[in-house]
């Protein structure tokens, strides 16, 4: 039983790590196929987004502090994602236009601005991914699967933005200080991620690549759900207490409670 439990935990850890990269570079929850690596230079307070009166009715949009897990329901996910996607994509179009029209930009005008744009949706998708892993249910699973294609498609626009790639490529990073080296590494990682994310593709190649990314995200979610379902269905009954010798009393109490509830 312990071997199975450890194996299951290891599998779930690997799945969550993979899926967190799937959803986003932030919080959450997006696959490796669409990850767009950027440095973490902000916190929830500096990148907070207030969405009119929706904050009062949708706890996912209240990002002033830690997630309000006790108030979040599956029906909150789609409205939150829709609102934040619309705002993020609109703001990104403005940023792309600004980058196109500017001959020279500095670091602060690029990567920190991108993180500000992505943070609110990353917060929501990260919370959704976490809940999908620890409190998985039919309603949440359906909402997550319905919104995933929209999130994947939107984040792909970042990784395949030629204006953003050009701006990053043209940055002059000559600062040899510790902070300067960290910025250089962040830019290099971002350029590499965008190259692997299809920024240089056109036409049929780009279309085919994006379809594969979408399919990979779907398969990742399906695999995660299958593991969750298998974990929920697994059970074993131990009649000989000596087989649990050495197990902490707290663990045995937890297993006993789970048996009663089952």
């Amino acid at each position: 039983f312990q071997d199975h439990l450890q194996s299951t935990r290891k599998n779930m850890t690997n799945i969550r790590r993979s899926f967190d990269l799937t959803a986003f570079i932030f919080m959450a929850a997006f696959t490796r196929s669409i990850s767009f690596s950027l440095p973490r230079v902000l916190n929830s307070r500096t990148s907070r987004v207030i969405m009119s009166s929706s904050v009062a009715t949708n706890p996912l949009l209240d990002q002033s502090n830690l997630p309000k897990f006790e108030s979040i329901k599956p029906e909150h996910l789609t409205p939150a994602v829709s609102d934040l996607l619309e705002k993020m994509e609109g703001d990104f179009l403005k940023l792309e236009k600004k980058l196109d029209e500017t001959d020279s930009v500095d670091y602060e005008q690029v990567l920190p601005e991108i993180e500000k744009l992505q943070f609110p949706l990353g917060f929501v998708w990260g919370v959704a991914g976490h809940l999908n892993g620890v409190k998985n249910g039919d309603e949440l699973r359906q909402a997550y699967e319905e919104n995933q294609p929209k999130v994947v498609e939107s984040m792909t626009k970042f990784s395949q933005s030629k204006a953003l790639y050009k701006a990053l490529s043209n940055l002059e990073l000559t600062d040899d200080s510790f902070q300067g080296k960290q910025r250089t590494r962040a830019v290099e990682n971002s350029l590499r991620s965008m190259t692997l994310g299809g920024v240089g593709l056109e036409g049929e190649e780009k279309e085919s690549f994006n379809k594969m990314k979408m399919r990979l995200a779907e398969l990742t979610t399906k695999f995660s759900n299958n593991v969750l379902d298998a974990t929920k269905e697994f059970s074993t009954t131990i009649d000989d207490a000596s087989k649990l010798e050495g197990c902490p009393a707290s663990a045995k109490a937890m297993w006993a409670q789970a048996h009663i509830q089952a």
Side-chain angles (χ1 to χ4, degrees), residues 109-175:
Q109 293 175 296
V110 188
L111 291 188
E113 291 301 315
I114 293 296
E115 186 167 354
K116 288 178 184 178
L117 295 182
Q118 291 183 337
F119 181 90
L121 185 58
F123 181 98
V124 168
W125 199 245
V127 170
H130 173 71
L131 289 175
N132 202 40
V134 302
K135 196 178 180 181
N136 190 278
D138 292 339
E139 292 183 1
L140 179 59
R141 182 177 294 189
Q142 181 180 354
Y144 193 90
E145 292 176 354
E146 287 178 354
N147 285 282
Q148 180 173 273
K150 295 184 290 185
V151 176
V152 174
E153 181 180 3
S154 182
M155 293 307 297
T156 298
K157 295 177 182 178
F158 283 86
S159 63
Q160 296 181 352
S161 169
K162 296 188 182 303
L164 179 56
Y165 186 86
K166 180 181 177 181
L168 289 170
S169 300
N170 291 337
L171 287 177
E172 296 183 3
L173 302 171
T174 58
D175 185 359

Side-chain angles (χ1 to χ4, degrees), residues 1 18 40 42 85 95 97 116 146 159 174 207 212 249:
F1 176 76
S18 173
R40 282 184 164 279
L42 302 178
L85 273 177
L95 179 60
K97 183 178 180 181
K116 288 178 184 178
E146 287 178 354
S159 63
T174 58
E207 182 178 350
M212 286 189 287

